[in-house]
Amino acid sequence: MIPEETKKILYQGDKKEATRNAYGERLAQLGEINKDIVALDCDLSKSTMTAIFAKKFPERFFNLGIAEANMMSIAAGLSTMGKIPFASTFGVFATKRACDQLSTSVAYPGLNVKICATHCGISVGEDGATHQAIEDLGITRSIPGIVVISPSDGTETRKVIDAVAEYKGPCYVRLTRSASPLIFNENYNFKIGKAVKLFQGEKATVITAGFTTHICIEAVKELEVLGIEVDLINMSSIKPMDEDLLLESAKKTKIVFTVEDHNIIGGLGSAVCELLSEKMPTRVIRIGIKDIFGASGSPAELYKAYGLDKDSIINVIKSNVS
């Protein structure tokens, strides 16, 4: 069942949008409002969609070539001069190739840098394992002081970009290549550290974020038909997390499922387990990539192969809920 307050913020229609597109468009719009915003990229602006900003504000756009570590250091320097840098590249490059600079140059001094990484998770598809960021949340979550967000649709992405532009400090925003259905309408307000309950029920708690959210919505609808009503929580703010909502739901349902396009080690599932183990020991079943690398294939093929499609999610929940 959809909570009454949630009905007011849900999108009605079948429009699809990639979160990277929403990011590129909103960043360019914010560039008109705030002249301190600058964008940095590493020869991938047409893919990360910072090309939209570059076209409008060429003097405030910096293409650093294939030098992701250097991009992080330059973004750090720009932030010390009062600029608000948005640094973009693929998730694998932002978090693995440039991890040292992300940690030492950006996070350690607490600088006001926004890392907006695209092409995250196996939803990248045919590009294969080397370009599918499935460890990025684990890396960024473990670096002190970084806010970590994984928006679930285009509307939420625009709201997230607004929020991180206002926030003073380093942020990591996880974006996707593939288009997904819009979930929220313009009445939705994103707040760092807050989640939203999309469905409510007594049988279980399902926590998700990012590209898997629309799949979980379809799974939960089918579970309702089978008489299994669950809490479905969109936990886009992964660090900090909405502790109050998670604890409230876990106390009620006594079992939690996490669903994510990420390694089950280090990501959303780990964050949920860490919180519950300290404050309310609860059984948690993590649905995600089970500590293996990705592969090449269409997003739909990969989601089925890795157990992230609707039917797989339904089967796991059914087999663990009485």
Side-chain angles (χ1 to χ4, degrees):
M1 181 172 64
I2 301 175
E4 286 302 317
E5 59 270 24
T6 302
K7 291 179 181 178
K8 301 173 185 177
I9 61 174
L10 293 181
Y11 175 77
Q12 302 296 321
D14 56 4
K15 181 181 177 181
K16 292 185 176 184
E17 184 178 22
T19 56
R20 61 169 175 159
N21 291 75
Y23 160 59
E25 292 171 0
R26 187 55 183 156
L27 182 63
Q29 292 167 353
L30 286 181
E32 296 179 350
I33 300 168
N34 190 334
K35 306 303 181 185
D36 287 328
I37 289 177
V38 296
L40 299 84
D41 210 301
C42 291
D43 259 1
L44 289 171
S45 62
K46 291 183 179 178
S47 296
T48 64
M49 298 300 166
T50 59
I52 303 172
F53 186 97
K55 185 176 181 179
K56 294 182 72 172
F57 310 107
E59 74 285 358
R60 288 154 56 194
F61 175 77
F62 304 91
N63 180 9
L64 284 308
I66 306 173
E68 292 83 4
N70 191 39
M71 177 179 70
M72 294 297 176
S73 297
I74 291 173
L78 286 167
S79 73
T80 67
M81 304 303 293
K83 302 303 180 184
I84 306 174
F86 280 76
S88 292
T89 183
F90 291 179
V92 288
F93 306 139
T95 59
K96 291 197 287 185
R97 184 172 293 173
C99 183
D100 181 35
Q101 287 72 22
L102 175 58
S103 176
T104 306
S105 299
V106 174
Y108 179 60
L111 296 179
N112 194 31
V113 176
K114 321 303 173 182
I115 299 96
C116 296
T118 68
H119 292 60
C120 295
I122 59 172
S123 65
V124 168
E126 290 83 356
D127 285 3
T130 58
H131 283 57
Q132 295 165 351
I134 60 169
E135 315 97 333
D136 57 310
L137 294 178
I139 293 168
T140 52
R141 279 187 59 240
S142 65
I143 298 175
I146 297 183
V147 168
V148 180
I149 304 170
S150 179
S152 295
D153 77 338
T155 303
E156 185 170 46
T157 298
R158 282 182 278 271
K159 305 285 185 173
V160 164
I161 299 307
D162 288 350
V164 301
E166 291 293 326
Y167 178 83
K168 304 302 181 185
C171 299
Y172 176 75
V173 182
R174 187 181 209 241
L175 303 167
T176 58
R177 175 191 195 182
S178 300
S180 60
L182 289 187
I183 298 168
F184 299 107
N185 62 37
E186 290 302 320
N187 294 322
Y188 171 68
N189 289 313
F190 171 82
K191 291 184 178 180
I192 294 173
K194 293 297 181 182
V196 59
K197 187 184 292 185
L198 299 175
F199 283 78
Q200 61 186 17
E202 306 291 329
K203 293 289 188 179
T205 299
V206 180
I207 310 288
T208 190
F211 195 81
T212 51
T213 302
H214 76 278
I215 302 172
C216 286
I217 289 172
E218 295 306 312
V220 166
K221 288 178 180 177
E222 291 200 16
L223 286 167
E224 277 194 347
V225 175
L226 299 173
I228 303 174
E229 293 191 345
V230 305
D231 276 359
L232 174 60
I233 296 173
N234 177 50
M235 192 71 75
S236 295
S237 182
I238 296 174
K239 180 187 174 185
M241 181 174 284
D242 193 333
E243 296 188 6
D244 292 340
L245 184 57
L246 173 56
L247 294 172
E248 174 189 293
S249 183
K251 182 179 181 180
K252 175 181 67 172
T253 66
K254 305 296 191 287
I255 185 169
V256 175
F257 297 85
T258 59
V259 184
E260 59 186 318
D261 184 351
H262 186 276
N263 192 344
I264 59 171
I265 298 173
L268 175 64
S270 289
V272 168
C273 287
E274 290 160 13
L275 173 63
L276 291 176
S277 67
E278 289 186 352
K279 299 194 174 182
M280 188 185 298
T282 308
R283 186 185 181 199
V284 179
I285 297 171
R286 294 168 297 163
I287 301 172
I289 300 164
K290 295 175 175 58
D291 201 26
I292 57 176
F293 284 101
S296 181
S298 71
E301 290 170 337
L302 293 173
Y303 267 47
K304 184 175 182 179
Y306 286 79
L308 283 166
D309 62 305
K310 178 188 67 175
D311 291 341
S312 296
I313 294 169
I314 290 171
N315 288 336
V316 172
I317 294 174
K318 281 172 56 181
S319 63
N320 286 281
V321 173
S322 57

